[in-house]
Amino acid sequence: MKHLESFSTIYQRACERKGGEISLESLLSPVCTVEQLVQIPEHRLLSELSKKVFQSGFIWRIVELKWPAYEQAFFNFEPMKVLMLSPEQLQVRANDPALIRHQKKTQAIYDNALMMNHFRLDQGGLSQLISDWPEDNIIGLWALLKAKGTRLGGNTGPYFLRSIGKPTFLLTNDIKDYFKSQKLIDYGFTSQSGLKQVQGVFNTWQQESGRDLSTLSRILAMSVGDNRV
């Protein structure tokens, strides 16, 4: 593994690329506190999670435009109401021209409502689970969502966490290119060994800077490549 750059060096490079410290800081988005995360209602979690499932491999803007129709079709994403849908009712929604015709992603809404019900019974709820999860093992939360949920592998789970304000890094092309060019990873990005290496690097930068994982990830992306943050 090559010598690890200090985060102060990365930060300075990002400032130079973005027109200075004030300009760079204006491009960063705040994350939620533990107290804010635990208060997110379940129906908002299910809505955001489902949106990220549909946006995976699809045009995000189209999903956003159709999402009000999804809110109506799926009872504002109240998990217990979603779980009352019959297979026939789910099929009707999967074929609805006002929505996106995708059987497996439509089924994932139901399956992930079931996952949330499981977490409510065993973990005090998905909001509680997410808010309590330590940043220094965020890849463990990625793995749990993938294992317990439906279609939450790859970047889908991480994008969901980022969208609700849970600090997480993302494996965008810029981030992956940086790790490869700096020889900071010896395995694939989909392997547990590779993910542990990436987590370890971000943990080091977090200890140095005091920044959250989302901010570290964004600044790194803006210091290199095409700024896929």
Side-chain angles (χ1 to χ4, degrees):
M1 182 180 290
K2 192 175 178 180
H3 177 69
L4 180 62
E5 274 191 304
S6 70
F7 195 74
S8 60
T9 299
I10 294 170
Y11 183 82
Q12 183 59 41
R13 187 167 62 244
C15 287
E16 292 170 357
R17 296 184 86 219
K18 291 300 172 185
E21 183 173 356
I22 294 176
S23 178
L24 174 64
E25 292 291 338
S26 72
L27 298 173
L28 303 176
S29 301
V31 296
C32 288
T33 64
V34 170
E35 293 75 15
Q36 290 170 328
L37 284 168
V38 79
Q39 292 174 8
I40 300 176
E42 284 195 330
H43 68 281
R44 291 301 88 207
L45 291 180
L46 183 58
S47 175
E48 198 60 39
L49 192 156
S50 301
K51 185 189 294 183
K52 289 297 171 279
V53 168
F54 274 91
Q55 286 176 329
S56 177
F58 201 68
I59 301 172
W60 284 38
R61 179 176 56 83
I62 293 177
V63 177
E64 289 284 359
L65 289 173
K66 287 182 175 286
W67 212 246
Y70 273 93
E71 294 281 353
Q72 182 175 4
F74 286 90
F75 315 111
N76 201 34
F77 286 97
E78 292 285 352
M80 296 311 296
K81 292 182 179 179
V82 170
L83 291 176
M84 293 176 66
L85 289 169
S86 67
E88 293 76 18
Q89 289 172 317
L90 283 172
Q91 187 63 55
V92 168
R93 286 159 173 77
N95 294 330
D96 189 342
L99 306 177
I100 295 169
R101 295 177 179 176
H102 198 297
Q103 176 66 42
K104 291 182 178 180
K105 290 189 177 185
T106 302
Q107 180 65 42
I109 297 175
Y110 181 94
D111 294 343
N112 288 325
L114 199 61
M115 172 193 69
M116 292 182 65
N117 188 53
H118 166 77
F119 285 137
R120 185 189 311 111
L121 296 174
D122 291 352
Q123 305 286 342
L126 184 57
S127 295
Q128 187 71 57
L129 176 69
I130 291 172
S131 65
D132 289 344
W133 201 278
E135 285 185 56
D136 63 3
N137 183 33
I138 200 65
I139 61 171
L141 184 52
W142 294 7
L144 182 65
L145 290 173
K146 178 181 178 180
K148 298 296 185 180
T150 298
R151 304 184 75 90
L152 298 180
N155 264 336
T156 304
Y159 271 118
F160 158 66
L161 295 173
R162 173 72 70 82
S163 71
I164 64 170
K166 175 68 175 180
T168 183
F169 57 84
L170 294 178
L171 292 176
T172 64
N173 288 339
D174 283 339
I175 300 296
K176 291 191 288 187
D177 287 346
Y178 176 85
F179 271 78
K180 288 187 289 187
S181 68
Q182 295 293 308
K183 296 182 171 58
L184 297 176
I185 186 167
D186 302 311
Y187 308 93
F189 289 101
T190 58
S191 72
Q192 282 302 302
S193 295
L195 290 174
K196 286 178 181 178
Q197 287 185 309
V198 176
Q199 178 81 70
V201 169
F202 273 101
N203 289 351
T204 298
W205 286 334
Q206 187 172 42
Q207 291 167 9
E208 174 196 341
S209 67
R211 300 267 192 164
D212 65 85
L213 291 182
S214 293
T215 300
L216 293 173
S217 181
R218 287 186 171 108
I219 292 173
L220 176 60
M222 286 189 280
S223 76
V224 296
D226 296 325
N227 308 309
R228 299 184 182 93
V229 298

